[in-house]
């Protein structure tokens, strides 16, 4: 493992609470319906790893997945 992280938002689970966007605006964007999406390919820039884990832990629908690569 290289220690890199990637995030993914499961669109079937996302209900638009936007906690992830509130906690980690550098990693998430909202669509026209208020549902979150990972920015770009979901790669987490160095220094933002804690925000990725925080977003995952605070998603009430468990829609945010952090993938260790």
């Amino acid at each position: 493992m290289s220690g890199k992280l990637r995030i993914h938002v499961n669109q079937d689970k996302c209900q638009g609470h936007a906690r992830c966007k509130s906690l980690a605006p550098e990693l998430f964007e909202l669509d026209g319906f208020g549902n979150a999406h990972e920015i770009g390919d979901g790669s987490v820039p160095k220094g933002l790893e804690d925000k990725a884990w925080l977003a995952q832990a605070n998603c009430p629908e468990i829609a945010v997945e952090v993938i260790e690569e």
Side-chain angles (χ1 to χ4, degrees), residues 32-52:
F33 299 103
N35 292 328
H37 297 271
E38 60 275 3
I39 292 176
D41 68 356
S43 295
V44 177
K46 190 170 178 74
L48 296 178
E49 298 90 351
D50 287 346
K51 286 192 170 191

Side-chain angles (χ1 to χ4, degrees), residues 6-20 28 35-38 52 55-67:
R6 195 168 50 83
I7 53 169
H8 173 72
V9 180
N10 182 327
Q11 294 305 301
D12 292 332
K13 293 182 179 180
C14 183
Q15 297 285 311
H17 296 284
R19 290 184 186 177
C20 57
F28 300 92
N35 292 328
H37 297 271
E38 60 275 3
Q56 178 183 344
N58 282 276
C59 179
E61 305 302 335
I62 312 171
V64 176
E65 179 182 12
V66 177
I67 303 150

